[in-house]
Amino acid sequence: MSGTPLLSLAIWVPILAGLVVLATGSDRNAPLARTLSLIGALAGLLVTIPLYTGFDMHTPAMQFVELKTWIPRFNVNYHLGVDGISMLFVILNSFITVTVVLAGWQVIDSKVAQYNAGFLIMSGLLNGIFSALDGLLFYVFFEASLIPLYLIIGIWGGPKRVYAAFKFFLFTLFGSLLFLIALLYLFITSGGSFSILDWHQLPIGMTEQTWLFLAFLVAFAVKVPMWPVHTWLPDAHVEAPTGGSIVLAAIALKLGAYGFLRFSLPITPDASHTLAGLVIALSLIAIIYIGFVALAQEDMKKLVAYSSIAHMGFVTLGFFIFSPLGVEGALVQMISHGFVSGAMFFSIGVMYDRAHSRQIADYGGVVNTMPKFAAFFMLFAMANAGLPATSGFVGEFMVILAAVDHHFWVAFAAASTMIVGAAYTLWMYKRVVFGAVANHHVAELADINAREFLIFVLFAIGALGMGLYPQPFTEVMHSSVNELLRHVALSKIQ
Amino acid sequence: MTLAEMQFLTPDLRIAAAEIFILLMACLILMFDLLAKDRKRTATFVSTQLTLVGAAVITFSMSSGEISYTFSNMYVADLMADLLKLLLYLTVMVVLFYSRGYILEREQMAKGEYYALALFATLGMMVMISANHFVTVYIGLELLSLSLYAMVAMNRDSVPATEAAMKYFVLGALASGLLLYGMSMIYGATGTLEITAVAERLFMGQADQTILVFGMVFLVSGVAFKLGVVPFHMWIPDVYHGAPTAVTLFIATAPKLAAFAMVIRLLVNGLIVLSADWQSMLILLSVMSMAIGNIAAIAQTNLKRMLAYSAISHMGFMLLGMVTGVVGGDARFALNAYSSSMFYVITYVLTSAGTFGMILLLARAGFESDEIDDFKGLNKRSPWFAAMMMMMMFSMAGVPFFVGFFAKFSVLQAVVAAGYLWLAIVAIIFSLIGCFYYLRIVKIMYFDQPTNSLPIAAPLDVKVLMSANGLAVALLGIFPQALMSLCAFALLRSL
């Protein structure tokens, strides 16, 4: 397989499939558009499988590398490659795309081709972000991926969709523009190279590192999102259609966290160490304060959105402890959150499709009319709360363990999420699912159909499989994470 | 000097063959149009287009890559001029294609003069591009401006158009005055009007600094007026808005190329020694243009007016490349900086042609389609053209993979390379503000419901051309290398 440009396929197969879907045109051809999208998404997933099976887990080096000149005038290359950190996200993203296409199958009935094409194109762009090894290529994918999500929220979203779409776009763009300046600065100081791997080796003074770190921090903190630049996320989630929420939670949020590992830590290691306290403090605020904010929500999507922010707080916390356990725990948490939050948003979408409400107060006793749904929803709610044997537990536990090593009170504060997280998730679950049938809307609910069942099974395999046997996920990370931490421990100041 | 010592050299006409050809053809077309009975002026249209093709062939085949002068050094031909002229012909051809349907539907514009004036304007721009003498610059500029005044006023029963023409004429005359005044002062300081000779005298330090700097300030003001940057931008919104859309399309595209050449000729070729002075002026102009252009554009409800303010901000951004050429007397970055500006201008012209072309595409008899709300729900009416317009908007906003991103990128890297980090941050903050109104157009087209469901009634050739224009914005965004290095190469061989 060594000659096959697998990463290029992972990027361009979905994008080309998206263009083909777009060509089916009006809604008269909707069934064709749906079938083609599913084929495209499955093909996109299929080409990423060899990334795992052919992966050499004993080396921290980049694998499946492709290097072609793109813009020689500025020494920009089409440089792709994955290591143990990024490889799993390419697969996760391609997997999520399949579920998104399935999730919109019966629900989306206007502009079907555009809807599915948007997701397929975005899937390719997101794969591009995870596999880019050239700074400008990364940036180009990073910004271009805003366009499909902006359109998806704006066209198929809820009543306040325009506001949410603008807020999403402008917030993220603001962060990434400062990031562009940082990239240009690195390009100039490195003597004209956009290679991220070159930048890892570039010696930089402390003042410059601090500014670069802060520029990176703004860009990635908006994307993660971290408190206090998180306010776009609840709006975007609430207004986005189900598919949009799934991709946003499962993949788009991971981009910021991934950026920390690819840019902040290795390029500005000294500043990362110095300013780690800042990031840890912001992470703890996200975990505790946003946890309580989630508790007070009356809209289910908003609640899960806030819980996403809290969970991502664990990720950034894990990164800035600088221990293998912490970083791996954070990575596991990222992947787990992809399955669990995706499934949570899908669950809410299933109810919304039937009753057209996301308010907790409009439900009650759903288990009586939708028993199968209630069982799945229970599983994912538990995973969201971090119950052992689900994937949600593994990552949080690893991060907390690492935090104990770092500082007891940090670990103590982080561990409080076990209680708060369980409280908001299970309390919502209780109010929505248990009790007597609340009103005639609930009484008329029909249980999930075969398509929804299939999607739930896919998510459940991910969430449970990772919870019971996380080793296939963690073993591929070891070399890369250890190499990263070894590199971060070295000072770059000369 | 006695009469016997004066030499009357025959100028080498071949070097200026393209200009001579256009001049002859414009006169012929004007004459033969009098005999034309056809209300649609098909023959005039076709012969105008063929003239431009012919000029392109001449320019291309005469292009030697060397710098050569003629008409006693008043006229220069170099690779930059050749490249800009070829792009100019292409732009004018595209503009005429887009505007044909529009002017046919408007009684007073559907005349042969429209095409003749377009050719004369083109000739003026060519002269500006190839000028090596202050007088040549001025002649080219006046030929362009006078043709444009007439074109703006052509729809003579339209009150806004007449008002726009009047405003354009009065302010344009003022700017010409500023320019002439500056030229005369520089003549007073250096004793020559020839641009390369001015540069030589300045190098040798044989000039009165006070008069020189005064002259330069007036010169920069005149250039700033032509570019339409703050505070010389007042005419842009009114003229863009008031002029018939076909003429707005013309004003918004081709003259930008000529204005860029004018900046290079006057400031770089002529006054490079004073770069520290004019650069600090241009920084101010550039920052103010980005600020006022982007902020004022947000408040507009008329698309032409919004694009006018957007043009102001884009020209401000383009100037960023011009201010970073010489840093502390070190001209190492000059080629990088100027070629990034050139790339910016070319891509702006491409995108601008597409957006105004789209307004023309949606316009019909008695309906201008220039309000932003006229684009409501375009995605329902025509997904294909909505996608084209969306690409154009994202390109102007500077979002990849569209060419506008690489234009902004190349200018910004020049700014950062020259050490003006703060300027890059200012530029970026204003482009973020600018993003808002481009996104609003996308929102209008995609998120809103259409107010009418009429299909788009443009002829096939215009539709194909519009599609090609949109796809070029995307394709140049994926493969920007060729055009970027072409700009760099042309400037390398010309400066």
Side-chain angles (χ1 to χ4, degrees), chain A residues 6 49-65 82-85 87 472 474-481:
Chain A
L6 283 172
I49 302 292
L51 291 179
Y52 188 87
T53 54
F55 192 79
D56 177 1
M57 63 180 81
H58 303 294
T59 165
M62 291 295 164
Q63 304 184 33
F64 309 103
V65 173
V82 285
D83 60 2
I85 295 170
M87 180 267 289
T474 53
E475 66 183 3
V476 291
M477 300 172 186
H478 283 317
S479 316
S480 297
V481 169

Side-chain angles (χ1 to χ4, degrees), chain A residues 70-74 111 114 136 139-140 143-144 147 150-151 154-155 161 166 169 173-174 177 181 184 188, chain B residues 336 339 379 390 394 399-401 405-406 409 412-413 417 424 428 432 435-436 439 446-447 478 480-481 484:
Chain A
W70 180 28
I71 310 174
R73 168 137 172 68
F74 294 116
K111 308 193 199 82
Q114 291 189 351
L136 196 71
Y139 182 82
V140 163
E143 261 204 15
I147 299 177
Y150 169 76
L151 293 175
I155 300 179
R161 60 188 199 276
F166 271 77
F169 197 99
L173 192 66
F174 170 70
L177 286 174
I181 298 277
L184 287 172
I188 304 294
Chain B
N336 182 16
S339 67
N379 184 36
M390 177 184 73
F394 277 123
V399 179
F401 282 91
F405 167 73
F406 287 97
F409 162 77
L412 282 177
Q413 65 77 30
I428 273 206
L432 181 73
C435 248
F436 177 81
L439 280 182
Y446 278 84
F447 307 170
I478 300 174
Q481 164 69 21
M484 274 182 183

Side-chain angles (χ1 to χ4, degrees), chain B residues 49-263:
Chain B
Q49 295 285 30
L50 288 178
T51 303
L52 290 164
V53 173
V57 171
I58 294 172
T59 304
F60 190 78
S61 57
M62 300 297 280
S63 177
S64 62
E66 302 300 319
I67 305 178
S68 37
Y69 300 94
T70 184
F71 295 112
S72 318
N73 289 348
M74 288 180 89
Y75 177 102
V76 60
D78 53 20
L79 208 53
M80 181 192 83
D82 293 338
L83 178 60
L84 284 176
K85 279 181 201 167
L86 287 173
L87 291 166
L88 177 67
Y89 307 140
L90 185 66
T91 312
V92 175
M93 286 176 73
V94 169
V95 165
L96 292 180
F97 252 112
Y98 282 153
S99 29
R100 179 153 169 78
Y102 181 92
I103 63 170
L104 281 182
E105 281 157 2
R106 279 150 190 83
E107 190 69 31
Q108 286 163 343
M109 297 186 74
K111 298 203 170 108
E113 284 86 350
Y114 183 84
Y115 301 106
L117 284 171
L119 280 182
F120 280 120
T122 310
L123 178 61
M125 291 185 271
M126 292 162 71
V127 172
M128 282 166 78
I129 290 172
S130 273
N132 188 42
H133 195 280
F134 285 146
V135 171
T136 323
V137 173
Y138 185 74
I139 290 174
L141 182 62
E142 286 302 287
L143 184 52
L144 166 68
S145 302
L146 288 170
S147 313
L148 288 181
Y149 303 147
M151 283 168 89
V152 173
M154 239 182 141
N155 203 1
R156 65 158 194 255
D157 288 345
S158 155
V159 177
T162 317
E163 188 193 325
M166 199 63 196
K167 212 170 237 169
Y168 193 17
F169 175 70
V170 172
L171 289 174
L174 181 70
S176 298
L178 290 178
L179 199 63
L180 276 181
Y181 196 41
M183 286 170 178
S184 66
M185 281 187 161
I186 290 173
Y187 179 70
T190 60
T192 178
L193 283 168
E194 194 185 310
I195 291 174
T196 36
V198 167
E200 275 168 29
R201 306 259 161 105
L202 293 183
F203 262 117
M204 292 186 280
Q206 308 168 329
D208 183 316
Q209 282 296 317
T210 323
I211 302 180
L212 196 62
V213 172
F214 258 99
M216 181 209 74
V217 170
F218 283 107
L219 214 58
V220 170
S221 310
V223 171
F225 179 87
K226 272 290 89 165
L227 284 171
V229 288
V230 178
F232 305 97
H233 67 290
M234 303 297 185
W235 61 280
I236 294 251
D238 292 328
V239 172
Y240 274 43
H241 186 184
T245 311
V247 180
T248 312
L249 167 67
F250 196 102
I251 297 175
T253 51
K256 307 287 181 205
L257 294 171
F260 170 78
M262 189 168 146
V263 174

Side-chain angles (χ1 to χ4, degrees), chain B residues 324-383:
Chain B
T324 47
V326 183
V327 187
D330 180 0
R332 255 186 313 155
F333 307 108
L335 186 65
N336 182 16
Y338 301 152
S339 67
S340 70
S341 276
M342 187 167 170
F343 181 71
Y344 196 97
V345 151
I346 292 170
T347 58
Y348 173 74
V349 167
L350 174 75
T351 325
S352 181
T355 40
F356 283 103
M358 193 65 80
I359 302 178
L360 290 173
L361 188 80
L362 299 182
R364 288 180 307 280
F367 175 64
E368 292 290 333
S369 181
D370 64 347
E371 294 297 321
I372 291 180
D373 282 351
D374 294 335
F375 279 74
K376 266 191 178 173
L378 186 61
N379 184 36
K380 281 248 170 62
R381 291 169 60 199
S382 166

